[in-house]
Amino acid sequence: MYVVTNRNLQPDANPEERFGPRFNQKGPNELRLAEAQKVGGSWQVNILDDRTTYNGEDMWASEAAFLKAQQRMRQNHTSALFFVHGFNTDFGDALESAYAIEQRYNLEVIMFTWPSNGGGTLEGLSSYQDDKRDAALSIGALDRCFEKLADYFKKYAEQACKRKFSLALHSMGNYLFKRLLSSSIYQGETLLFDNIVMLAADVNNEGHADWVNRVRFRNRLFITINEDDAALLASKALAGDEQKARLGHWPRNLTARNATYLDFTDAANIVAHHNYFTDDSALQNERIKEIFARAFTGQKAERGLTFDAGTGAYRVL
């Protein structure tokens, strides 16, 4: 999998710590590209030089990575997913999250990892607010990723593999996305994605339609909900009154005109899960796995679900 990051480089660290908990030494908009592979249970992380040679031509490493990914997708008949993780996720955890998606859904995954603090469990208000600040400072880096991808799709339109390319954002990754969508630097670059999936979004439900309606995409924009999501309930409690009901656990006020809401609250095996798109016990429910397999590959994930006119969401059982 390819990894794009604005984290600080730690070249002498173990592969799982190759990128650290702070911003790139040149600033939060500076990006590095790496290729990560899990071999025999251990990670190999290769930091790519800015320039490389591909098919005898000198080019940017990101351009060569784009062409190689397109070739693999064509050969393996796979779709691609650009994944942005959430709060409290160090580099090793980010790798494992993206790898779980790659393996469970047979996808070509490109991960954007930003310097969230990590630590494995919720560490309280200070850590949470630190991550929110770092997410807000990462919007320029994420926007650069989208712009570069859009440029390559245009340049190689005749050579593209014609497979689907979608975007998934988890938890506080959606706060980063919100800040980008609310910024003047956003110019509709997300139109390059077939589907966009906002997973367990750790943003306020209140007012979300104002910025969600700005999102551009080709096929569908999905927003997932679980009323019993323990991580989002804890998130709501962290910051008092200003931290309102989270979009990812509140099946009310679902008013974005361009969104398709998926309510997993009553689905078998969902319980209080926050990572229900990769959690083994949640995915024992074949319907849940089927929905995400469709959502992540540019398809109609709501097909076959019952629409609840009272909430405005499709119910997953």
Side-chain angles (χ1 to χ4, degrees):
M1 103 185 51
Y2 286 111
V3 176
V4 189
T5 184
N6 62 343
R7 291 177 181 264
N8 60 307
L9 176 62
Q10 301 182 137
D12 298 325
N14 293 329
E16 297 87 348
E17 300 171 334
R18 194 59 49 82
F19 291 103
R22 295 181 296 278
F23 285 115
N24 186 292
Q25 291 87 337
K26 295 182 180 179
N29 290 336
E30 193 72 19
L31 295 171
R32 292 302 302 262
L33 177 65
E35 190 166 13
Q37 185 177 16
K38 199 169 190 180
V39 180
S42 298
W43 281 103
Q44 297 177 359
V45 178
N46 179 29
I47 311 298
L48 302 181
D49 294 331
D50 290 341
R51 305 287 297 186
T52 190
T53 301
Y54 181 69
N55 286 342
E57 183 179 350
D58 179 72
M59 62 178 65
W60 292 107
S62 58
E63 188 171 2
F66 176 87
L67 293 172
K68 290 176 183 178
Q70 289 276 308
Q71 183 179 35
R72 285 198 296 265
M73 292 164 65
R74 188 182 299 110
Q75 291 173 344
N76 300 326
H77 305 287
T78 53
S79 296
L81 186 73
F82 191 99
F83 176 65
V84 183
H85 63 75
F87 163 67
N88 204 33
T89 305
D90 62 22
F91 181 59
D93 289 339
L95 287 173
E96 292 294 338
S97 295
Y99 181 73
I101 295 172
E102 182 182 76
Q103 294 299 301
R104 283 164 175 75
Y105 300 102
N106 188 31
L107 293 165
E108 179 80 25
V109 173
I110 303 97
M111 178 178 66
F112 176 77
T113 175
W114 52 282
S116 54
N117 289 341
T121 59
L122 288 175
E123 296 177 339
L125 179 59
S126 177
S127 178
Y128 185 85
Q129 291 180 331
D130 283 348
D131 271 11
K132 286 190 74 171
R133 283 190 289 269
D134 289 345
L137 288 169
S138 296
I139 65 171
L142 183 60
D143 188 61
R144 287 184 63 198
C145 291
F146 294 161
E147 288 180 346
K148 186 60 67 176
L149 282 166
D151 288 345
Y152 293 150
F153 273 110
K154 290 177 184 177
K155 182 175 181 178
Y156 295 102
E158 299 302 319
Q159 302 167 240
C161 66
K162 310 302 182 185
R163 308 296 297 180
K164 299 293 186 180
F165 187 34
S166 296
L167 167 66
L169 311 108
H170 183 226
S171 195
M172 195 181 282
N174 289 280
Y175 177 75
L176 195 168
F177 194 48
K178 171 187 174 179
R179 292 297 297 258
L180 174 59
L181 268 291
S182 303
S183 166
S184 61
I185 67 173
Y186 175 72
Q187 300 296 322
E189 295 87 353
T190 53
L191 186 58
L192 67 97
F193 296 110
D194 292 286
N195 282 354
I196 296 177
V197 192
M198 295 171 56
L199 302 158
D202 191 2
V203 296
N204 284 347
N205 170 288
E206 184 179 294
H208 74 273
D210 294 340
W211 59 272
V212 169
N213 282 329
R214 295 193 66 198
V215 183
R216 300 186 68 191
F217 50 90
R218 294 180 182 273
N219 294 337
R220 292 286 195 280
L221 167 62
F222 295 107
I223 298 177
T224 74
I225 297 166
N226 175 16
E227 280 191 82
D228 301 318
D229 186 321
L232 291 184
L233 290 169
S235 167
K236 180 182 182 298
L238 278 174
D241 292 341
E242 70 271 19
Q243 191 84 338
K244 302 180 181 184
R246 316 318 287 150
L247 178 57
H249 81 72
W250 194 245
R252 298 169 182 81
N253 187 40
L254 307 182
T255 57
R257 296 184 306 275
N258 60 347
T260 301
Y261 298 92
L262 303 175
D263 187 356
F264 289 82
T265 303
D266 295 323
N269 294 39
I270 199 72
V271 293
H273 289 307
H274 184 55
N275 302 336
Y276 41 92
F277 54 99
T278 55
D279 185 89
D280 288 335
S281 60
L283 294 183
Q284 288 178 11
N285 182 336
E286 289 295 327
R287 173 57 64 89
I288 294 176
K289 187 173 183 178
E290 178 187 2
I291 287 168
F292 286 117
R294 288 179 173 275
F296 292 160
T297 55
Q299 301 180 64
K300 298 176 181 178
E302 76 277 23
R303 180 176 291 171
L305 300 180
T306 300
F307 183 72
D308 186 340
T311 63
Y314 287 89
R315 296 181 62 214
V316 183
L317 300 174

